[in-house]
Each structure stands twice: as structure tokens, then as C-alpha cells.
Amino acid sequence: MAQAHISSEKEIKERTGGWLARLAEQGYRITGSRRAVVDVLAEAGTSLSPAEIYEQGRVAHKQLGLVTVYRTLEKLEELGLVQRVHRPDGCHAYIPALHGHEHLLLCQECGRVEYFRGDDLSELSRRLEGESGYTINDHWLQFFGVCAACQ
Amino acid sequence: MAQAHISSEKEIKERTGGWLARLAEQGYRITGSRRAVVDVLAEAGTSLSPAEIYEQGRVAHKQLGLVTVYRTLEKLEELGLVQRVHRPDGCHAYIPALHGHEHLLLCQECGRVEYFRGDDLSELSRRLEGESGYTINDHWLQFFGVCAACQ
DNA sequence: GCTATAATTGAAAATGCTTTTCAATTACTG
DNA sequence: CAGTAATTGAAAAGCATTTTCAATTATAGC
Ligand SMILES: [Mn+2]
Ligand SMILES: [Mn+2]
Ligand SMILES: [Zn+2]
Ligand SMILES: [Zn+2]
């Protein structure tokens, strides 16, 4: 079932706090730069490229460097807090990973993202393992289209 | 059902001829450089990056330029003859598009590709359209793992 | 076949995204 | 309130991809 990803103020605040806590837990220091990246991404309803995160992050933290955006994204991705989106053109973007691995529906016009579940690929995955001899580690499922607002 | 993509000599020859014919049909000229790219890719059992195609293509056609590899891939992709593979690291690779759009199982070690069908996403796609209000144009499904030979 | 012409080519330069380097700064520990 | 290692951002380097452009070449029409 497709579920809108629009989050309330409270949810965003909790998410931001949670991400910072996870970073601290791992021994990473909480800095203004990291906070800026986390703030931008934790409330994102569309996928954002590193450059977009940089641009938005600088509003709150003017000395933010693009390098630090990349370094912070790397850590957030490792911790499973954000998820990388692959765009057809090849450019990468990031979104919050709300509930672990999820499948995505992306608007090609505005970048809006819907997360969905309700489709179980584990059975297919197991069947493929049996038939192909592969050991399967991971998968991606992404749908592309145009959202209601953009039509 | 997973199906090995290993092709016979005859199938490869037919595929090569078919691709060149499609290019000619579109008004594109058949040159040594294009032939070299087509030859490499039409018999590929693993996904190949532009640089790999360039390297292999130069064996048969030494003056081949990397620029022409990119330009030829662009045309083959437009015609639906090759399909782009999205790797987790972000680097792109190409494989023959044997039967139109297919879903893929990729070996993370050697790049080997299995094509599979037997999983129908059109029902899911329609349901998502209804629930989200999006118009869906396209989707990707890729599994990642380690092939039998690489284990 | 030969010619005219537009398509194609590859080297080089430009571009854009991402990573590395490094000296200065800063968050945290004790 | 140090002391110390982590972090930062500017600049440079590294890659993948695209653009530019003058030279070459495939092909249609004779
Ligand atoms: Mn990609
Ligand atoms: Mn899944
Ligand atoms: Zn949209
Ligand atoms: Zn393999």
C-alpha cells in the first residue's frame, strides 16, 4: 500500500533526534555541519542530491562544506538512516530510510518519493536463488512516474 | 524463471546483424567503430562499463575512441537494444536487452547477469497508480548477489 | 565507380560529480 | 579547563561523461 511520506513536525523532530543519537552512539561527534545535513534530510519529502542538501544546509549553517555533506551522507547511509535513490539519468539522490529497506515510487518531475510495501519479493528472491545458484544479498525496486500534483 | 543468458555463436551473430540492421534502418551509418562496439556488447554475458567496452573494442578496431563508445551506447539504448545496469556504487554498465524490458540478477563479483521473468509487476504497478495518484511510466527491478562460479 | 555531402570520428578540452589532502579548528574526555 | 583525536572546509586531484572541432568517411545519386 502506498503511503504518503509527509511527516508531522513532531515526527521530523523525533527523526532528527534519533539520527543524531545514532551518530553519537557510533562515536561520531555532533557538529553544526552534521546537524545541518541531518536537519535538511530528515524532513525531506523529495529525494535530494548532495548539492541540493549543501545548498539548503547552508541556509542554517553558512560555513557548511560540500565535502562534509558527502561525508555525512556516507555515515547516514552506513547506519541505514538514509537510502540512496538511483535516477534514470544517473545522478544520485538521498531520502530518509523510514522503515528499513523499502520500495520506492519516484516523481520524475519534482523528485517526490512515496514508500511502499505490500509486495513481497522474498519468495521470488528464494526461487531465483534456487534456480540460478546465486546467493542473493540485496535488491532494488523503483517505480518512476509523475505525481498527482505534477500532472 | 531464471534463464542463463549464454548465447550460441549463431545467436550472437544474429543479434549483431540485427542491431546493425536497426541502426541502418534509423539512418545511422555502419562504421568500423560502431561495429566494434556492437560486436563486444552483443556477445557480452556480463555487464560492461563504457571503459570496458572501449578496451575490448580496441582489440578489433584499434583507433576506436571512447567518445564513440558513449555515442554508440546512447543510440543502442534509445533503440532498446541494450539496457543500462545501475550498480550500487553508482557506476553504470550495459548489457544486451534480450527481450525488451527484463528484470536482472547481477553478480557483484564478476558482473555476470541473469535475466528473469515470471514476476509480474504490472498488477502492483496499477495498484500503486490507484493508491498514489501517480502515473507510472517505468520501473527497475534488480537483485544483487554472488553467482555460483564466484562463490 | 566517382563525387558530393552530410554524418561520423577521435583528440583535446571542458564539465560535473566525487574523493583526497592537509593545515586549522573544534567536540568531547577526563 | 586542558589535552587530544575527530572533524572541518578550501583547494587540488581524480574520474566519468560531454562538448568542441577539424579531419575523415559512409553512402546516396549520378
Ligand atoms: Mn544509476
Ligand atoms: Mn524489498
Ligand atoms: Zn511530482
Ligand atoms: Zn560471479
Side-chain angles (χ1 to χ4, degrees), chain A residues 126-134, chain B residues 1-3 114 116-117:
Chain A
R126 261 190 305 279
R127 207 190 71 210
L128 285 174
E129 283 191 320
E131 291 178 7
S132 66
Y134 279 55
Chain B
M1 60 230 51
Q3 66 192 61
E114 306 290 327
F116 65 91
R117 294 163 168 258

Side-chain angles (χ1 to χ4, degrees), chain A residues 5 9 14-15 62 81 83 86-87 97-98 127 150:
Chain A
H5 58 286
E9 280 296 317
E14 280 173 10
R15 190 177 310 141
K62 26 197 174 320
L81 302 173
Q83 175 172 354
H86 297 260
R87 294 175 172 169
L98 297 186
R127 207 190 71 210
C150 286

Side-chain angles (χ1 to χ4, degrees), chain A residues 47-138:
Chain A
S47 60
L48 297 173
S49 68
E52 288 164 340
I53 296 167
Y54 171 60
E55 197 186 341
Q56 294 186 28
R58 289 227 290 182
V59 175
H61 187 74
K62 26 197 174 320
Q63 72 265 40
L64 176 64
L66 181 56
V67 188
T68 301
V69 173
Y70 278 98
R71 289 192 280 226
T72 304
L73 286 172
E74 191 180 16
K75 289 171 179 62
L76 292 173
E77 194 179 15
E78 269 169 26
L79 296 177
L81 302 173
V82 307
Q83 175 172 354
R84 188 189 295 224
V85 169
H86 297 260
R87 294 175 172 169
D89 58 19
C91 172
H92 285 149
Y94 292 82
I95 52 168
L98 297 186
H99 303 100
H101 170 92
E102 284 181 291
H103 300 160
L104 304 177
L105 170 54
L106 302 159
C107 177
Q108 294 165 320
E109 294 298 325
C110 70
R112 186 192 303 276
V113 178
E114 304 291 325
Y115 301 80
F116 64 91
R117 293 161 171 260
D119 56 307
D120 194 0
L121 295 180
S122 53
E123 188 199 342
L124 173 59
S125 180
R126 261 190 305 279
R127 207 190 71 210
L128 285 174
E129 283 191 320
E131 291 178 7
S132 66
Y134 279 55
T135 303
I136 294 179
N137 304 320
D138 196 10

